[in-house]
Amino acid sequence: MNALSDYKGQEPAWCPGCGNFPILETLKTALFELGMEPHQFTIVSGIGQAAKLPHYLKCNTFNGLHGRALPPATGMRLANHEMPVIVTSGDGDCYGEGGNHLIHAIRRNINVTLLVHNNQIYGLTKGQASPTTTEGVVTKTQPFGANASELNPISLAIGLDCSFVARGYAADSVFLKSIIKEAITHKGFALVDILQPCVTFNKLNTYSWYKERVYHLDETYNPYDRAEAFKLAIKLPDKIPTGIIYKNNKLTFEERIQILKESPLVKQGFSLNSTLKELDTFY
């Protein structure tokens, strides 16, 4: 039987008031309530403030290159598809450097949960525009305003027929926890875009700004209706829906690989003789 304190890692080094704190605590609680002990799952990250989260949580961890968290997460699932894998990333890390990997992870439908801390700015590198920064917003490196239209990760994921697409808000812990728990237990690739105020570098998307705009999808909403999901995805920023926006049931990448149906690769024996025999047959 585990306790919530079992998940405690190093002391966080984020700014006081950072939206990453409630995301960390919410994830811990979600894992605890799911009964997943620290040795039973792996968290993978790249580079950035959000990518530091695995340091602050006791569990199996892989901290890789900037924007490259999804490729090793895919490898881990193929090596041991019985171990849940969670990727934690920021909007710059995932939607910028890692954009190409995101597209193909969704297309393959690997059974991984992706949590994107979307603060609409690069925090680790001190405040330049990220792919989700609102066009025209002045930043430290865009004194005349961000000069490109912002990426909409929700509509992108729905367009790619992603298996599970949700949006949460860092300061809405109880609702966010329910979304994260459903994402982790969903069979297939799950994207949870988490709106996260950056109190140091983003002076537009503040806690009070979100408080006026964020609302919950109610129980009458059907997340299996793709057309309705698109309508929600392109809502104007005066109203921001949170909850499970779209999901579907389809085969995962692991289910399409015959050898994985027998047992996880880590439990299968390996013999060089069979490989040599195959090579002899081929040549």
Side-chain angles (χ1 to χ4, degrees):
M1 188 70 180
N2 58 322
L4 197 55
S5 58
D6 291 343
Y7 302 88
K8 181 177 171 53
Q10 301 172 34
E11 286 300 319
W14 293 316
C15 302
C18 176
N20 281 326
F21 284 101
I23 295 174
L24 172 64
E25 293 306 313
T26 302
L27 177 59
K28 278 184 194 175
T29 308
L31 293 165
F32 172 70
E33 292 184 6
L34 287 172
M36 295 170 63
E37 298 188 32
H39 68 280
Q40 294 176 321
F41 62 93
T42 299
I43 296 192
V44 184
S45 68
I47 298 294
Q49 292 291 358
K52 291 179 180 176
L53 183 143
H55 306 177
Y56 311 141
L57 189 68
K58 190 165 74 175
C59 60
N60 301 303
T61 297
F62 183 90
N63 196 192
L65 301 175
H66 207 349
R68 306 307 191 253
L70 287 169
T74 302
M76 290 172 197
R77 283 294 303 179
L78 294 180
N80 184 2
H81 62 280
E82 290 184 346
M83 173 170 280
V85 176
I86 299 165
V87 171
T88 183
S89 182
D91 45 294
D93 185 51
C94 183
Y95 301 145
E97 285 87 350
N100 186 50
H101 298 303
L102 173 65
I103 289 170
H104 295 290
I106 291 174
R107 184 176 64 82
R108 293 181 180 117
N109 197 30
I110 58 171
N111 197 350
V112 162
T113 303
L114 170 62
L115 308 178
V116 181
H117 306 210
N118 186 357
N119 61 9
Q120 297 170 261
I121 204 80
Y122 277 94
L124 185 72
T125 44
K126 312 307 179 195
Q128 68 266 43
S130 83
T132 54
T133 301
T134 303
E135 184 175 1
V137 168
V138 173
T139 73
K140 283 194 166 186
T141 54
Q142 285 82 22
F144 304 108
N147 54 9
S149 56
E150 57 269 29
L151 175 76
N152 183 330
I154 301 296
S155 62
L156 172 69
I158 297 169
L160 292 167
D161 200 25
C162 182
S163 186
F164 183 102
V165 185
R167 179 191 284 129
Y169 173 42
D172 188 8
S173 296
V174 173
F175 194 56
L176 177 60
K177 182 182 68 177
S178 68
I179 295 171
I180 290 176
K181 287 170 72 173
E182 191 154 346
I184 291 173
T185 54
H186 176 77
K187 186 177 72 106
F189 188 81
L191 166 66
V192 184
D193 184 73
I194 305 172
L195 304 171
Q196 177 233 326
C198 173
V199 296
T200 302
F201 297 111
N202 187 338
K203 303 302 182 185
L204 170 64
N205 309 111
T206 61
Y207 287 100
S208 59
W209 188 90
Y210 282 120
K211 187 176 180 181
E212 294 174 358
R213 291 165 174 80
V214 166
Y215 72 95
H216 296 173
L217 291 171
D218 63 35
E219 293 179 355
T220 62
Y221 176 72
N222 176 15
Y224 291 95
D225 188 330
R226 197 174 179 194
E228 284 301 312
F230 264 122
K231 290 180 185 175
L232 282 177
I234 59 175
K235 279 263 185 189
L236 295 175
D238 59 332
K239 284 290 180 185
I240 305 175
T242 58
I244 299 166
I245 296 173
Y246 177 65
K247 63 179 176 180
N248 61 52
N249 299 313
K250 58 184 181 182
L251 288 177
T252 66
F253 190 49
E254 300 95 302
E255 289 174 325
R256 296 188 184 99
I257 299 176
Q258 184 63 35
I259 195 170
L260 298 184
K261 292 179 180 176
E262 300 172 13
S263 66
L265 286 182
V266 294
K267 294 182 179 177
Q268 295 185 28
F270 173 76
S271 168
L272 189 59
N273 292 333
S274 61
T275 303
L276 293 173
K277 184 179 178 182
E278 190 70 24
L279 288 173
D280 287 340
T281 304
F282 186 75
Y283 290 107

